[in-house]
Amino acid sequence: MIDLHCHTTHSDGTQSPAELLQEAQECGLTALAVTDHDTFGGFEEAAGSQPPAGLDLIQGIELTTRRDRYAVHVLGYFLNGPPSIRFQQRLRELLEQRGDRNIRLVRKLQDLGLDITLEEVRALGRHMTGRPHFAQVLVAKGYVRTYDEAFARYLNEDGAAYVVRDAPSVADGIGWIRQGGGLPSLAHPIRLRLSNEEEYIGQLANAGLQAVEVYHSDHGLADRARYQAIADRYGLAASGGSDYHGTIKPNVKLGSQKVDVAVLERLREIASKA
Ligand code: AMP
Ligand code: FE
Ligand code: FE
Ligand code: ZN
């Protein structure tokens, strides 16, 4: 059993890389891809900390890209090794765009009359500040009762405080991963809430996409079957993982998608042919 999608304290997860590795071992995973948002920091720390024997640790990332006013997440695998100067520069730009978004997001919350500062939100993230940290503050201060309510009322695309962030196009994100020698996979396509998802994924395949995340905590069995069929139609591979974020999303458990190692073998085969 493997898990190809999870987060650490280097982005919006609550577990350190070392804690994540220990949990991976405890739940019997044989392969784990660390896919923090817009950084290799979590993977690098994990790789440098003696991964347990028998655990295949895979370099991954989840890039933030944009389609109109929606964030689209593109997973990248097997970039293997330190990123190029060019790629590092792109990650720095993503971080700056996130910082700018955070400033505008906190202002919009303040304009709505909420008592919240960027400092208190920043205090929750070890290395990066994301919307989940905003959600935690909104819960702690009693503005909403739950994390999900924070997104529904304030933070998601329909929320009152949503601000569109600057980010590369989806095609650019795919291209950067390919140029870096990696394999791009479209993360949790269900979240895109597309009416023409088949056509859209076909366009991304033309832009260089090589896989679709078929197995994900937000996907029911019917969703899995649909995304597998779309992947088959365009000659894309399947990827999959839990999208574990630790205690901040307590319902999502590491390894819970029970992805078979054959999925990883297929991805590696495709990446090696590129
Ligand atoms: P950010 O990159 O700061 O815009 O935050 C995006 C992150 O927020 C995602 O990676 C998820 O962890 C979380 N997130 C986004 N939308 C939702 C939602 N509707 N409900 C719960 N968590 C969400
Ligand atoms: Fe996240
Ligand atoms: Fe994501
Ligand atoms: Zn994720």
Side-chain angles (χ1 to χ4, degrees):
M1 210 170 76
I2 66 171
D3 196 322
L4 301 179
H5 191 161
C6 64
H7 297 267
T8 74
T9 44
H10 282 260
S11 62
D12 54 6
T14 58
Q15 313 306 103
S16 70
E19 287 165 341
L20 185 70
L21 289 176
Q22 196 186 339
E23 289 178 30
Q25 190 178 30
E26 282 164 10
C27 70
L29 292 179
T30 57
L32 176 76
V34 179
T35 55
D36 275 311
H37 298 289
D38 308 324
T39 177
F40 290 112
F43 165 78
E44 285 167 358
E45 192 180 322
S49 75
Q50 287 273 326
L55 182 73
D56 185 0
L57 183 66
I58 295 151
Q59 182 167 12
I61 196 161
E62 185 173 19
L63 288 183
T64 306
T65 71
R66 185 165 76 89
R67 171 187 148 268
D68 304 326
R69 60 191 302 273
Y70 299 97
V72 176
H73 289 171
V74 181
L75 293 158
Y77 296 108
F78 318 126
L79 288 113
N80 296 339
S84 66
I85 301 289
R86 191 84 194 279
F87 206 96
Q88 289 178 41
Q89 175 61 30
R90 286 163 170 161
L91 294 181
R92 269 198 299 276
E93 278 168 23
L94 278 165
L95 201 62
E96 284 165 19
Q97 289 162 340
R98 168 179 296 278
D100 170 69
R101 188 281 312 267
N102 288 343
I103 291 168
R104 289 184 292 118
L105 175 53
V106 83
R107 269 198 215 127
K108 202 151 175 184
L109 287 164
Q110 289 166 353
D111 288 346
L112 289 166
L114 278 65
D115 171 28
I116 182 169
T117 66
L118 195 48
E119 285 61 43
E120 60 197 355
V121 180
R122 276 207 193 113
L124 296 178
R126 285 269 314 277
H127 301 265
M128 188 184 279
T129 306
R131 278 183 287 165
H133 304 119
F134 282 83
Q136 279 181 302
V137 172
L138 294 178
V139 173
K141 294 197 145 186
Y143 288 117
V144 290
R145 273 179 309 158
T146 65
Y147 175 87
D148 287 342
E149 193 188 335
F151 274 90
R153 278 186 62 187
Y154 293 106
L155 304 174
N156 74 19
E157 288 92 346
D158 312 315
Y162 186 70
V163 292
V164 179
R165 63 166 280 179
D166 205 6
S169 71
V170 186
D172 279 352
I174 290 169
W176 297 355
I177 293 167
R178 293 293 295 267
Q179 288 156 27
L183 180 149
S185 179
L186 180 64
H188 41 66
I190 190 108
R191 295 232 190 114
L192 302 179
R193 293 184 285 168
L194 291 163
S195 53
N196 61 339
E197 55 183 10
E198 182 146 0
E199 188 190 333
Y200 182 69
I201 292 171
Q203 288 168 13
L204 297 185
N206 285 331
L209 188 72
Q210 292 178 297
V212 172
E213 192 169 48
V214 169
Y215 311 91
H216 185 272
S217 300
D218 287 356
H219 291 178
L221 290 179
D223 301 316
R224 266 192 197 181
R226 190 171 72 258
Y227 293 123
Q228 183 65 62
I230 294 175
D232 291 345
R233 170 160 176 199
Y234 295 114
L236 301 170
S239 75
S242 61
D243 206 355
Y244 182 63
H245 280 72
T247 55
I248 197 168
K249 294 186 185 180
N251 297 331
V252 175
K253 307 277 188 223
L254 188 65
S256 53
Q257 289 299 303
K258 306 206 182 314
V259 177
D260 193 89
V261 70
V263 167
L264 175 61
E265 287 163 358
R266 178 83 188 117
L267 292 171
R268 277 221 167 98
E269 191 184 320
I270 292 166
S272 71
K273 282 185 195 143

